[in-house]
Amino acid sequence: MIYLPILMGLSFAAAYFPLTSSQPTWGRSAIKTIPLLAFALAAHLAGLGPFLVAGLFLSALGDFGLSRDGDAPFLYGLSAFALAHLAYILHLLGISDAQIWDAFSTAPVAAIILVALMVSTELWLATHTGHLQWPVRIYVVIIGTMGLSALTLPFGWTVVGAGLFILSDVILAINLFRMSDTHHHRLKAGYSIWAFYITGQALILWGGLQA
């Protein structure tokens, strides 16, 4: 029963690939939103806990927001993903029974690299985001904390999934704020962002199923 919504989510995720760089339409938004809604349903049916279900569901709301044009939908999507990461933090720390700073003992190299990446965004990202500087800064801290929370776990599907999720956001940030706005660049970035993102989310769900 739980694998049916997972397969449905993956099918819609595959269907979205040709639409990653197309103009916003309501149909495109629906196709982009359905995968994480399906993953959230699978997590609920499997009894994986409210924080994982909430993280997946809020990610679906974030997908919808980022599928539309304009600053208001972008901030809505960013806020939804920030809340999703907060839910993931509670989920990850709950299953690891650890504290954030434990990441520096369980995976010290990865934790240091992640913190360095967070700090570096002040140089290559924040100063290029205009009036969105503070929302982006807050989001960077939250997603970085989610990554550190994942690193408190033994290396496995969930850790890989969290890493791919962060990688997709890094590429998205570069695409939105630093990359030249050409069709060729948008096409390549759209494919990679969606591939890393949906794989990361699927692995976070799969890690929950394997726990």
Side-chain angles (χ1 to χ4, degrees):
M1 181 68 176
I2 63 173
Y3 294 106
L4 183 60
I6 293 176
L7 290 174
M8 182 178 73
L10 292 174
S11 297
F12 274 90
Y16 182 73
F17 269 103
L19 306 175
T20 54
S21 301
S22 63
Q23 293 300 312
T25 65
W26 290 110
R28 176 179 180 270
S29 295
I31 292 171
K32 185 176 185 180
T33 305
I34 286 173
L36 268 294
L37 287 177
F39 288 176
L41 176 60
H44 171 70
L45 293 174
L48 298 184
F51 295 126
L52 180 55
V53 174
L56 294 166
F57 179 77
L58 288 164
S59 294
L61 298 185
D63 286 334
F64 177 80
L66 296 187
S67 73
R68 311 305 299 168
D69 268 343
D71 281 352
F74 175 79
L75 286 173
Y76 161 80
L78 194 70
S79 299
F81 274 119
L83 291 173
H85 288 307
L86 289 173
Y88 282 149
I89 290 167
L90 294 172
H91 167 68
L92 295 167
L93 294 180
I95 60 178
S96 69
D97 194 26
Q99 304 295 324
I100 292 289
W101 49 83
D102 290 332
F104 293 94
S105 56
T106 56
V109 175
I112 291 170
I113 291 173
L114 181 56
V115 171
L117 175 62
M118 292 166 61
V119 173
S120 75
T121 59
E122 277 300 307
L123 299 176
W124 61 267
L125 178 60
T127 55
H128 298 270
T129 57
H131 62 284
L132 297 174
Q133 278 190 26
W134 279 106
V136 169
R137 282 178 172 133
I138 292 169
Y139 183 79
V140 166
V141 171
I142 293 174
I143 192 173
T145 303
M146 186 278 289
L148 290 174
S149 300
L151 292 176
T152 64
L153 292 167
F155 185 77
W157 297 120
T158 300
V159 178
V160 175
L164 291 177
F165 197 161
I166 292 171
L167 179 58
S168 73
D169 269 352
V170 170
I171 300 172
L172 176 62
I174 294 170
N175 184 52
L176 287 175
F177 300 112
R178 300 303 307 272
M179 189 177 288
S180 59
D181 190 24
T182 66
H183 176 73
H184 178 66
H185 285 151
R186 287 198 309 269
L187 192 63
K188 290 202 304 184
Y191 286 156
S192 59
I193 291 165
W194 186 246
F196 288 131
Y197 167 76
I198 206 68
T199 303
Q201 292 277 32
L203 290 180
I204 290 172
L205 172 60
W206 188 252
L209 290 171
Q210 300 303 305

